[in-house]
Amino acid sequence: MVARGTRAMQERQVLFLYVFLGVSWAGAEPLRYFVAEETETGTFLTNLANDLGLGLGELATRGSRIVSDQNIPFLLLNPLTGDLLLNEKLDREELCGPTEPCVLPFQLLLEKPFQIFRAELWVRDINDHSPVFLDREIPLKILESTTPGTAFLLERAQDSDVGANTLRNYTVSPNAYFHIKVHVSGEGTIYPELVLDQVLDREELPELSLTLMALDGGSPPRSGTALIRVEVLDINDNAPEFVQSLYKAQVPEDSPVGALVTSVSARDLDVGSNGEIVYAFFYATESILRTFEINSTSGNLHLKAELNYEAIQTYVLTIQAKDGGGLSGKCTVVVEVTDINDNPPELLMSSLTSPIAENSPETVVAVFRIRDRDSGINGKMVCSIQDDLPFVLKPSVENFYTLVTEKALDREWKTEYNITITVTDMGTPRLTTEHSITLLVSDVNDNAPAFTQASYTLLVRENNSPALHIGTISATDADAGTNAQVTYSLLPPHDPQLALASLVSINADNGQLFALRSLDYEALRAFEFGVRAADRGSPALSSQALVRVLVLDANDNAPFVLYPLQNGSAGVRRRLRHNGDPPLSASVTLHVLLVDGFSQPYLALPEAAPAQAQADSLTVYLVIALAAVSSLFLLCVLLFVGARLCRRARAASLGGCSVPEGPFPGHLLDVSGTGTLSHSYQYEVCLTGGSGTTKEFKFLKPIIPSFIPQNIRREVEENSSFENNLGF
């Protein structure tokens, strides 16, 4: 059933050497296997694994398959054993027609890694068809004046077999007037010729019947017969003759039905009915009769059906011109069908891999083959994809292509690709076929979670309740699925003295931070710690961020006067308040001395030496006496002017400061830098008008020396923005 020659064995040995050296078989001569047509299904042909030098089971692991242009599953491969079996009965005549040898090319495709091996299945002919005459009866009219030796071309029989099984000989039934001579044409086709052996006598024998037998070369030979009816005619000594014995015509395959192919012409020197010529097909196959028709009187040859270059490229017609006397002449018309670009390219997808993991190196996405049924320039093709894609097409043998990634893919940049493979032939007009595939990119954990901020600052009011939500941190991951699921955790603090685990906690799922206990501003004003965001990929990726927690002060401590010390024996007492909520207060004793002009004030502190105070008492009394005398002089003027000014001031602004009544020489109060203050400050003092015996005054605005820093100046101004009422 399967035969191999010595040469094929030598070629296979060379190919085994190539395989051993790691060279692909794709460019070597194909393997050849032979099978007779009509062989039973399941017949063992060969073991491809042994022929290719592959190990047991390697065909299965490498993803093997059989592909062919015929799209007919005539072969069956067992990838586990490597056996190649016949999948169906083959009819050589149906597959190849008259073509000899009948070769069915196929390819063994291995995907992992990609490799192609070419092979051919040669289908041998068996003698399963007998010769057949299209016309079971052949009429033949012969003039009685025909000289012996004249040959009459007869219709040939048809035999679908080829080679030794095709038509080989013709015989005729025994008779005294004719014998058969086999005529071989230039194409190797044999035709029977009936040769006249002796003169016919119409009066003696007006009609003769003979049996024509066609024999093939099979063993045993098959035969077919037809009946020849010879009618002896009265004399007509001129047969029609064609102007040309051979006519050639070229017809495009897209010519419409009814189009003129060519015209043949014959002439007859006889007159009358013997000179009237009728044209007809002499020998015509079914395809010729189905495709062409000839005008019997004009000899014009027309198309009867559409042509198809891909099916038949050349027609050989024999046209007979017969006159009224029965004589005939013959010519040959060769019609060549020219190809037009009427078949678009085809794309046959062999394998497609989707999805593909991102960051993968060069990866084969698809393996496919292209073909065009046209010929010449119309059958040449180019294959391309879009320019803006990270893929390349790599041509291989037998019009195979592989679609390969040009670089590593990034799913975060693009999750899928729509790839259009365009195949264009080079004919006119150019025909194009497009095949679209969608490639998905699967995720790889290549992105660590990213915090929305590099650091976070959280504000918490002291005395908070435990388990208070103080803020939320957030991180995102550009990956997908479990690779993008983020969990949060606290990092160990840099300061080993900081008990972070007792201060805050974090929700691992959403990043919410909670204060575990009440915070005290006076004990801990700020602290910081690190947090980690990790994904659930394998291996897991993470990132870190810094969190600063600032504790805000609450008004939970009353003011405390550092100086002067309070002993409960001071003459004046007045509570000091601050702007807290709720307000808290403390008390302090303030001694005020009013001096004349802008002289440097002096205030003896209660803690100073008593001797110094007694020594200066006489001076104080003298100053008071002089001030009292001066005040009496100025009192009248001040009262008059002050009354008018106070009226205007009261009308213009409520709560304004009135002109002081009495002998007050100045408006400056100096507080030396004692106690908690590091510098001396001066305050404007304004006595309230009409206070009577209460003797109250207000601190209006501090006069701050220019050398005081700006931040201290703001603090002093803010602390002095409220009124302080002091009483004696």
Side-chain angles (χ1 to χ4, degrees), residues 172-183:
V172 69
S173 57
N175 65 92
Y177 296 95
F178 298 95
H179 72 273
I180 288 293
K181 179 181 179 181
V182 177
H183 174 73

Side-chain angles (χ1 to χ4, degrees), residues 1-2 34-36 38-46 74-76 83-89 121:
M1 289 180 288
V2 179
F34 300 85
V35 64
E38 304 299 331
T39 300
E40 292 297 326
T41 301
T43 300
F44 173 82
L45 298 180
T46 187
F74 55 88
L75 295 176
L76 180 63
D83 291 342
L84 185 65
L85 308 178
L86 194 64
N87 196 36
E88 62 182 26
K89 284 187 177 182
L121 181 64

Side-chain angles (χ1 to χ4, degrees), residues 458-525:
L458 306 179
L459 304 178
V460 183
R461 182 74 63 181
E462 67 172 331
N463 303 324
N464 60 285
S465 59
L468 175 68
H469 176 224
I470 62 175
T472 302
I473 61 172
S474 178
T476 58
D477 196 312
D479 292 318
T482 57
N483 295 333
Q485 296 179 2
V486 180
T487 57
Y488 303 89
S489 61
L490 298 178
L491 294 175
H494 297 293
D495 185 3
Q497 303 298 326
L498 180 63
L500 182 63
S502 64
L503 293 177
V504 294
S505 68
I506 189 169
N507 188 311
D509 295 327
N510 54 30
Q512 292 183 347
L513 291 168
F514 298 90
L516 296 179
R517 61 181 177 84
S518 179
L519 303 177
D520 186 2
Y521 172 81
E522 287 70 29
L524 183 63
R525 298 190 176 187

Side-chain angles (χ1 to χ4, degrees), residues 28 55 78 85 98 111 122 254 275 306 309 318 321 339 352 364 366 380 405 435 553 576 589 620 630 640 676 698:
N78 187 332
L85 308 178
E111 296 183 358
W122 291 47
D254 62 343
E306 294 180 350
Y309 174 86
T318 300
D339 183 39
L352 175 63
V364 176
K380 293 183 178 181
T405 56
H435 185 88
D553 185 31
L576 298 179
T589 301
V620 173
S630 300
F640 177 78
T676 60
K698 299 180 180 179

Side-chain angles (χ1 to χ4, degrees), residues 566 569-575 587-592 697 725-728:
Q566 303 301 304
S569 62
V572 179
R573 296 192 63 84
R574 190 69 167 177
R575 299 191 66 80
S587 299
V588 65
T589 301
L590 183 62
H591 298 270
V592 180
F697 64 93
N725 295 325
L726 300 177
F728 294 91

Side-chain angles (χ1 to χ4, degrees), residues 297-316:
T297 57
S298 65
N300 293 334
L301 185 65
H302 295 271
L303 283 180
K304 187 178 180 181
E306 294 180 350
L307 301 175
N308 186 356
Y309 174 86
E310 288 69 36
I312 301 177
Q313 294 81 38
T314 303
Y315 294 89
V316 179

Side-chain angles (χ1 to χ4, degrees), residues 575-655:
R575 299 191 66 80
L576 298 179
R577 295 173 300 167
H578 61 176
N579 292 326
D581 184 17
L584 303 175
S585 64
S587 299
V588 65
T589 301
L590 183 62
H591 298 270
V592 180
L593 174 64
L594 301 180
V595 297
D596 187 17
F598 291 90
S599 60
Q600 178 68 27
Y602 176 78
L603 177 62
L605 298 177
E607 291 79 6
Q612 179 66 29
Q614 293 176 359
D616 293 337
S617 61
L618 182 60
T619 303
V620 173
Y621 294 147
L622 180 59
V623 172
I624 295 174
L626 292 176
V629 173
S630 300
S631 299
L632 291 175
F633 176 77
L634 297 175
L635 181 59
C636 294
V637 177
L638 292 175
L639 291 174
F640 177 78
V641 175
R644 287 186 175 272
L645 292 177
C646 287
R647 289 192 190 98
R648 294 179 181 177
R650 290 191 186 96
S653 174
L654 295 176

Side-chain angles (χ1 to χ4, degrees), residues 80-148:
L80 297 177
T81 63
D83 291 342
L84 185 65
L85 308 178
L86 194 64
N87 196 36
E88 62 182 26
K89 284 187 177 182
L90 302 180
D91 187 347
R92 193 208 65 80
E93 288 74 26
E94 180 179 352
L95 292 174
C96 301
T99 303
E100 179 66 12
C102 180
V103 180
L104 302 179
F106 66 95
Q107 299 82 33
L108 173 63
L109 176 63
L110 301 181
E111 296 183 358
K112 302 174 183 177
F114 178 74
Q115 198 171 9
I116 296 176
F117 300 93
R118 298 188 302 154
E120 295 175 349
L121 181 64
W122 291 47
V123 183
R124 290 177 170 172
D125 182 53
I126 64 173
N127 193 22
D128 57 345
H129 293 87
S130 300
V132 176
F133 291 91
L134 294 181
D135 296 324
R136 302 304 299 271
E137 186 173 313
I138 303 174
L140 188 61
K141 295 181 179 181
I142 302 176
L143 291 173
E144 60 180 346
S145 59
T146 303
T147 59

